[in-house]
Amino acid sequence: MSTVPTPSAVPLPSASGAWREGDPPGRRQWHAREKPLALEAGGELPGVRLAFETWGRLAPDRSNAVLVLHALTGDSHVAGPAGPGHPTSGWWDALVGPGQVLDTGRWFVVAPNVLGGCQGSTGPSSLRSDGRAWGGGFPFVTQRDQVAVEAGLADELGVERWALMVGGSMGGMRALEWAVTYPERTDALLLLATTAAASAEQIAWADIQLHAIRSDPHWHGGDYHDTGRGPHAGLGLARRLAHVTYRSEPELAARFGRTAQGAEDPWNGGRYQVESYLDHHAAKLVRRFDAGSYVTLSEAMNSHDIGRDRGDTRAALRRVTARTLVAGVDSDRLYPPYQQAELAAGIPTADHVRLIESPYGHDGFLIETEQVAALVRELLGQRSEFTAAPVLPSAPTGGARATPPDRPARPPRDGAPH
């Protein structure tokens, strides 16, 4: 039976775990947008900056650029150790770096922190022109707004066409939006544990998390950044709920069961191991994230609908021209595999959906790096004239396995930041 790691001894931030001006920059670089961003929901956002990191060098013919797009609470730090400016180590260290599947001796890898995020990009914790944080005044942004800013970053870097674009969950939403909005700029596309549109259940789970944050007495309508105390309890509660949806019931049962945490007695104010596990992840997030960004990005994910103003989902997916692989996680209860099967069936350049075998639920796309690496190799090894017709699944969870079913058992893992 697993034990839960000791909670972090790092003190709580005064109001937010966001990166702020004056903090160590770490490996970050910045792209500053020259003009205000016209927003899909109306209005515009001035002074937009994107924090990003790069690995490797862009080839003289600019043919080796790879775009990696992070999930909800991820950031630009895909690879590398934790250190000044980076509260966590790289969330896909096993995929990006010398000798890895995205070998930085061959590929020029780019990872931006999403617009609305809190690790260097413009978001609720960023300063406006008057020197105060945007806070609750930060506008509603969509995946299309986020991709528009990322396209400006690509222009600045001199990347006309991405050799590969990969994203999971929220990152997969943006990767899909890229491939539909700019089909001429995407050569190969890997979509992991994502969907064509946020479902009613996904919106419902997010709604409960948003209520948890907004119900915190320290929320102050989002204007808490200069008060000295942020909505830590609300953000922690949101993370606890989200983390349960990210994992699978069989994993939690096998890993924790009904075991008490150490010498604690659940009948006398103590905790079960699974409760301590959720406390640990809540504490970690509060120390490295911003509640306003959590709200902004969750609302952006709820807005995700690739078919909006494009006829319908099928019409939108037919715009994709990139060689495409779509993969789901067989134990994912938040983004169930039938959603990836629908993507694979609707994208003309995709064939059958692949399934990553994992006990870890939605987090499997972050944890099962060997299987993800196999998918990257498969995609990059495809012929550029790939034209296989989409195959409709025979069942909602149908699809090819990413690895053989006799994969050896491994110890439980917490995975990277989701």
Side-chain angles (χ1 to χ4, degrees), residues 9 36 51 75 95 137 151 153 160 178 198 214 308 340 358 397 408 410:
D75 54 36
L95 293 179
L153 167 63
E160 298 176 356
W178 255 100
R214 289 169 171 152
R308 185 175 60 249
Q340 293 86 61
S358 176
T397 58
R410 292 171 294 108

Side-chain angles (χ1 to χ4, degrees), residues 9 103 109 128 161 167 232 237 250 284 318 327 334 359 394 402:
D103 189 333
V109 179
R128 298 178 297 191
R161 185 176 177 89
H232 301 321
L237 182 56
K284 283 177 60 178
R318 285 197 295 268
L334 182 60
S394 58

Side-chain angles (χ1 to χ4, degrees), residues 364-380:
F365 82 91
L366 291 167
I367 296 173
E368 305 290 357
T369 52
E370 293 180 6
Q371 295 184 62
V372 174
L375 294 170
V376 172
R377 291 189 186 95
E378 179 184 354
L379 182 58
L380 295 178

Side-chain angles (χ1 to χ4, degrees), residues 177-260:
E177 190 66 48
W178 255 100
V180 170
T181 304
Y182 305 104
E184 74 285 356
R185 303 192 70 167
T186 311
D187 189 47
L189 178 67
L190 178 56
L191 301 174
L192 301 167
T194 193
T195 183
S199 70
E201 185 175 40
Q202 288 156 355
I203 294 171
W205 284 122
D207 177 67
I208 300 170
Q209 295 167 52
L210 296 180
H211 273 284
I213 294 172
R214 289 169 171 152
S215 297
D216 190 305
H218 298 287
W219 171 244
H220 297 300
D223 295 321
Y224 57 85
H225 293 91
D226 300 317
T227 66
R229 176 60 190 260
H232 301 321
L235 179 58
L237 182 56
R239 180 60 165 184
R240 287 174 175 87
L241 176 61
H243 201 75
V244 173
T245 71
Y246 296 157
R247 310 303 279 226
S248 74
E249 190 278 334
E251 185 224 352
L252 295 179
R255 185 172 180 182
F256 301 112
R258 294 183 47 78
T259 305

Side-chain angles (χ1 to χ4, degrees), residues 24-41:
R27 296 190 74 260
R28 292 175 184 82
Q29 304 173 61
W30 276 270
H31 160 66
R33 186 178 175 90
E34 294 182 358
K35 298 179 180 179
L37 174 67
L39 300 172
E40 186 182 5

